[in-house]
Amino acid sequence: MALDPELIVALDERAQQVGWQIGWDLRFITAPNPEYVGVTAAAIDKNDDSVNHLLVVGPRAISDGAVDDIRLTLDQLASGMRHIVLDEDGDPRLI
């Protein structure tokens, strides 16, 4: 069961809005198997378009409630209840 394209766009826009609010470039993505989704993060660097995004949520199956979990995670990031930090390797990690 794949997501409706309009929902994918809406979730990506929400991720980007939250990302700008918290200082990260966040994206909602679908995996090559469209039944799996996630959120990626990269540091915002206006001078570097080649920044690599890494998964911070997922990939999770849509059938396992991934969309609701992602919405909740984005709300928690926006409210400051959760954060994205750089780990010891310099990669973004959700805490």
Side-chain angles (χ1 to χ4, degrees):
M1 167 177 138
L3 294 178
D4 180 318
E6 291 176 3
L7 180 57
I8 292 171
V9 169
L11 289 166
D12 188 45
E13 288 175 353
R14 173 73 173 132
Q16 289 179 50
Q17 290 170 349
V18 170
W20 281 105
Q21 178 184 340
I22 64 170
W24 287 91
D25 184 6
L26 299 181
R27 302 296 168 121
F28 175 83
I29 59 141
T30 58
N33 176 345
E35 294 182 15
Y36 289 83
V37 295
V39 175
T40 64
I44 295 174
D45 187 346
K46 296 177 184 174
N47 299 319
D48 186 1
D49 292 335
S50 66
V51 174
N52 290 326
H53 277 249
L54 297 174
L55 278 166
V56 291
V57 178
R60 296 247 342 259
I62 295 167
S63 61
D64 290 341
V67 171
D68 290 335
D69 287 347
I70 287 171
R71 285 184 175 135
L72 177 61
T73 299
L74 292 171
D75 290 345
Q76 291 172 334
L77 285 165
S79 70
M81 292 176 62
R82 296 194 74 182
H83 304 279
I84 296 175
V85 298
L86 295 176
D87 67 12
E88 62 276 357
D89 297 323
D91 297 330
R93 183 172 60 103
L94 179 68
I95 58 167

